[in-house]
């Protein structure tokens, strides 16, 4: 009976959320910024499966708050679906999942897997307007600081917004170079890394947030190196294979910095609870 | 988990199925079908002479996901207003245009003197245009005043947030899904800012009733 009910639960959830999954899959397939979305659900399932022994030992105490959250999420989902606000429908679906877990399994189990469920938010694309609002200032910050550093080196450069004027050419710090593309993937990686390497939820959050300044710093470094290579070696890193390879190297540096931060946070982490044999 | 747990699963399944009824029972949205282009509709604006259309590259049209657009200069005596309208036929594209405040600084413009206002339109069906305005400057000589708003069917909104709210509210009425970004600009190098704004307000009073008529088609 229970197996049948869980199958019914799964199918009814897929039925009601099918339009959301359709949109998400389309976005993940066509966007360089959200191609990591494909890995999120398998990752969540894997992490929860990994915790099954701990979860089986916890008491199941249903919470009415979970029912309230489920109902509110579904109402929000209907509203956003009719208003065609895709981001809100996706968010409502994630909140609904949280509500169902809380309602059926209770607070203890919900608290144990809340951080894993937060991964689900990383599969939802940031709305285009908010994306632009976040990207443009980031582009400007990267441009300003890069140019300031170049001027400190005594090199001739002039900046107008995101346009960097060199003696014989002009560079534009476009959206792809602003760090936003790497930021979303970096934040997701930080989230996963923090889950597997830190025990305190607060430290995990700090590690995720540290992805923001790290992404800015490595992209400033990238712009700086591009300008230096152009001016000193007349070597163009702005296009073609070298630009791609260089971008990958810079991203690996960002990941390394995330793990460095994790090492620092480890000093304040909760001690590991060893199983008694 | 027991029978209590089974009951909860049944409740959740019932909630999902009820929600699915709403989701799959959603009526088809009302989409406009236009018999003429924006350029044709605004080829004549009372008292103003329309200049030639200034076409965009395909890359720009695709990036902005435009269903139609207008990019022209209108003149009246020694006054000139540049008009850009990015037009969308579906509400799903309401996020395709963004506030100029987001992109102007990145293109090297210094933004100042931001304000907002309203223009009462007395011609035709009476309406009000709520707009945002700002002064932008790049270098020593390039200075413009930009007046813009976000159209949501028959409502002209000063901000994108208001446009979204209006769009949502209109979903529950008989309104169609047409929406647009409207931007007027006036060179402020040899004219005062207030004169520029008045020129654009004057132009809006003339062109908006024609624009509204096109939206309602």
């Amino acid at each position: 009976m229970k197996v049948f009910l869980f199958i019914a639960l799964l199918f009814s959830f897929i039925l009601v959320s099918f339009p959301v999954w359709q949109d998400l899959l389309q976005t993940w397939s066509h966007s360089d910024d959200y191609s990591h979305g494909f890995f999120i659900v398998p990752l969540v399932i894997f992490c929860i499966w990994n915790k099954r022994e701990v979860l089986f030992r916890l008491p199941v105490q249903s919470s009415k708050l979970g029912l309230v959250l489920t109902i509110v999420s579904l109402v929000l989902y209907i509203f956003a679906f009719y208003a065609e606000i895709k981001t809100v429908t996706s968010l409502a679906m994630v909140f609904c999942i949280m509500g169902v877990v809380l309602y059926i399994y209770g607070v203890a189990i919900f608290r144990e897997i809340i951080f894993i469920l937060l991964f689900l938010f990383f599969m939802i694309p940031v709305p285009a307007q908010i994306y632009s609002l976040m990207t443009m200032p980031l582009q400007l910050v990267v441009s300003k600081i890069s140019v300031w550093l170049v001027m400190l080196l005594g090199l001739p450069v002039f900046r107008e917004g995101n346009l960097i004027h060199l003696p014989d050419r002009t560079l534009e710090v476009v959206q792809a170079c602003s760090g936003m593309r790497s930021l979303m993937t970096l934040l997701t990686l930080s989230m996963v890394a923090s889950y597997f390497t830190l025990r305190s939820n607060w430290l995990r959050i700090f590690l995720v947030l540290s992805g923001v300044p790290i992404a800015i710093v490595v992209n400033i470094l990238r712009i700086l190196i591009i300008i230096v290579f152009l001016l000193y070696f007349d070597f163009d890193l702005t296009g073609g294979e070298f630009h791609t390879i260089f971008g990958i190297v810079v991203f690996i540096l960002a990941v390394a910095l995330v793990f460095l931060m994790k090492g620092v946070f480890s000093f304040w982490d909760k001690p590991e609870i060893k199983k008694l044999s | 988990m027991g029978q209590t747990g089974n009951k909860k699963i049944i409740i959740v399944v019932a909630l999902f199925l009820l929600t699915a009824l709403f989701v799959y029972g959603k009526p088809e949205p009302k989409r406009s079908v236009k018999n003429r282009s924006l350029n044709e509709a605004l080829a004549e604006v009372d008292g103003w002479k329309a200049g030639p259309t200034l076409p965009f590259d395909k890359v720009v049209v695709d990036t902005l996901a435009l269903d139609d657009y207008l990019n022209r200069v209108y003149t009246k005596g020694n006054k000139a207003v540049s008009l850009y309208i990015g037009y969308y036929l579906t509400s799903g594209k309401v996020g395709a245009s963004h506030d100029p405040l987001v992109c102007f600084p990145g293109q090297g413009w210094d933004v100042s003197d931001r304000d907002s206002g309203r223009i009462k339109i007395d011609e035709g069906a009476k309406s009000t245009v709520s707009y945002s305005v700002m002064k932008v400057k790049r270098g020593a000589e390039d200075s413009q005043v930009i007046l813009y708003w976000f159209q949501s069917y028959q409502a002209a909104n000063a901000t994108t947030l208001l446009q979204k709210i209006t769009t949502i509210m209109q979903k529950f009425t008989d309104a169609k899904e047409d929406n647009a970004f409207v931007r007027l600009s006036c060179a402020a190098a040899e004219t005062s800012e207030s004169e520029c704004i008045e020129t654009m307000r004057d132009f809006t009073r003339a062109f908006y009733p024609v624009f509204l008529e096109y939206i309602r088609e």
Side-chain angles (χ1 to χ4, degrees):
Chain A
M1 173 70 169
K2 193 167 261 85
V3 171
F4 170 75
L5 284 175
F6 273 108
I7 292 172
L9 180 65
L10 181 64
F11 273 106
S12 58
F13 174 71
I14 292 171
L15 177 70
V16 76
S17 60
F18 185 74
V20 172
W21 292 111
Q22 222 175 6
D23 284 331
L24 285 173
L25 282 165
Q26 205 168 31
T27 304
W28 299 340
S29 312
H30 293 106
S31 165
D32 289 333
D33 303 320
Y34 290 97
S35 50
H36 62 264
F38 286 108
F39 300 103
I40 300 293
V41 170
L43 177 68
V44 167
I45 293 170
F46 170 75
C47 291
I48 293 176
W49 176 254
N50 230 19
K51 264 191 175 291
R52 61 192 185 283
E53 284 177 18
V54 171
L55 294 174
F56 282 141
R57 284 200 293 268
L58 291 171
V60 175
Q61 286 172 313
S62 167
S63 167
K64 283 202 174 64
L65 183 63
L67 180 61
V68 170
L69 180 58
T70 303
I71 293 172
V72 167
S73 303
L74 289 173
V75 168
L76 181 64
Y77 177 70
I78 293 169
F79 176 78
F81 186 77
Y82 272 69
E84 290 188 41
I85 311 171
K86 291 179 183 177
T87 306
V88 177
T89 53
S90 303
L91 289 170
M93 181 188 68
V94 173
F95 282 121
C96 180
I97 292 170
M98 291 177 166
V100 169
V101 169
L102 192 54
Y103 179 49
I104 295 176
Y105 292 105
V107 174
I109 290 176
F110 180 77
R111 199 180 280 149
E112 190 64 33
I113 63 171
I114 175 69
F115 198 82
I116 299 170
L117 293 176
L118 288 176
F119 287 169
L120 293 171
F121 288 111
F122 285 87
M123 68 181 179
I124 301 172
V126 177
Q129 293 199 349
I130 295 175
Y131 188 93
S132 298
L133 268 170
M134 287 162 71
T135 308
M136 296 293 177
L138 208 63
Q139 279 174 251
L140 213 48
V141 164
V142 169
S143 303
K144 277 183 182 170
I145 298 177
S146 308
V147 165
W148 178 73
L149 289 170
V150 169
M151 286 167 74
L152 272 185
L153 294 173
L155 297 171
V157 66
F158 172 67
R159 184 186 66 84
E160 270 187 318
N162 285 324
L163 299 173
I164 299 174
H165 299 287
L166 302 175
D168 56 357
R169 65 182 287 182
T170 296
L171 301 175
E172 185 180 0
V173 179
V174 296
Q175 208 173 60
C177 298
S178 69
M180 193 61 183
R181 179 167 296 173
S182 60
L183 178 64
M184 295 313 296
T185 311
L186 193 65
L187 287 178
T188 309
L189 274 173
S190 301
M191 188 84 173
V192 174
S194 68
Y195 173 72
F196 284 108
T197 60
L198 292 170
R199 283 171 288 280
S200 158
N201 279 339
W202 280 110
L203 289 177
R204 286 168 170 171
I205 290 167
F206 287 142
L207 185 63
V208 172
L209 292 175
S210 70
V212 176
I214 287 172
I216 295 173
V217 163
V218 296
N219 278 284
I220 288 169
L221 192 63
R222 183 162 85 152
I223 302 296
L224 183 64
I225 292 174
I226 286 172
I227 294 173
V228 166
F229 266 61
L230 269 171
L231 288 176
Y232 272 118
F233 307 112
D234 199 25
F235 190 81
D236 191 353
L237 285 167
T238 63
E241 286 171 9
F242 286 112
H243 186 67
T244 308
I245 294 167
F246 185 47
I248 293 169
V249 167
V250 166
F251 184 74
I252 291 170
L253 173 64
V255 173
L257 285 173
V258 167
F259 277 95
L260 183 66
M261 290 303 298
K262 172 251 146 195
V264 169
F265 288 142
S266 296
F267 284 112
W268 294 286
D269 199 7
K270 286 183 205 170
E272 188 179 355
I273 298 167
K274 292 199 188 301
K275 288 183 202 171
L276 294 171
S277 53
Chain B
M1 194 189 287
Q3 281 196 333
T4 314
N6 289 347
K7 195 170 130 191
K8 287 175 179 46
I9 296 174
I10 292 167
I11 290 170
V12 173
V13 170
L15 285 171
F16 284 165
L17 293 175
L18 181 62
T19 306
L21 282 176
F22 282 96
V23 168
Y24 294 100
K26 182 184 166 216
E28 280 300 309
K30 300 174 188 65
R31 305 267 148 93
S32 288
V33 175
K34 302 294 187 199
N35 296 319
R36 53 179 180 152
S37 68
L38 249 182
N39 274 298
E40 286 165 354
L42 286 165
E44 288 176 15
V45 173
D46 191 30
W48 292 79
K49 186 175 168 210
T53 56
L54 304 165
F56 289 148
D57 287 339
K58 188 176 181 302
V59 167
V60 175
V61 176
D62 290 344
T63 304
L64 293 173
L66 297 167
D67 290 321
D68 195 0
Y69 72 95
L70 178 143
N71 190 25
R72 279 173 121 147
V73 176
Y74 292 80
T75 53
K76 181 179 177 181
N78 63 349
K79 296 178 189 171
V81 172
S82 175
L83 174 65
Y84 163 74
I85 302 176
Y87 201 87
Y88 304 94
L89 294 170
T90 56
S91 63
K93 287 187 176 182
V94 95
S97 57
H98 53 255
D99 198 309
L101 277 174
V102 172
C103 56
F104 265 75
Q107 289 165 17
W109 295 91
D110 287 320
V111 177
S112 64
D113 300 348
R114 289 166 47 200
D115 203 356
S116 59
R118 295 161 77 86
I119 306 169
K120 269 196 169 175
I121 309 292
D122 294 322
E123 282 289 323
K126 300 204 185 332
S127 51
T128 306
V129 171
S130 296
Y131 64 83
S132 292
V133 66
M134 62 184 184
K135 187 170 177 181
V136 295
K137 198 171 169 197
R138 185 164 64 183
E141 292 172 13
D142 206 348
S143 173
Q144 295 182 30
V145 179
I146 313 286
L147 187 152
Y148 61 95
W149 69 83
F150 302 87
Q151 193 78 23
S152 178
Y153 193 48
Q154 296 176 104
N157 309 281
T159 65
T160 52
L161 178 62
L162 283 171
Q163 183 195 33
K164 285 238 157 160
I165 293 170
T166 314
T167 303
I168 292 167
M169 284 162 57
Q170 286 170 346
K171 287 277 182 185
F172 301 99
T173 66
D174 272 338
K176 290 186 193 164
E177 298 198 353
D178 298 54
N179 60 93
F181 171 62
V182 182
R183 185 188 72 205
L184 288 74
S185 56
C186 166
E190 287 167 27
T191 310
S192 72
E193 192 180 327
S194 55
E195 280 174 4
C196 256
I197 292 173
E198 197 42 52
T199 299
M200 290 190 286
R201 286 172 63 98
D202 182 35
F203 175 72
T204 302
R205 281 186 211 99
F207 102 88
Y208 192 73
V210 182
F211 181 48
L212 211 52
E213 197 184 306
Y214 175 77
I215 292 172
R216 289 174 183 147
E217 279 178 10

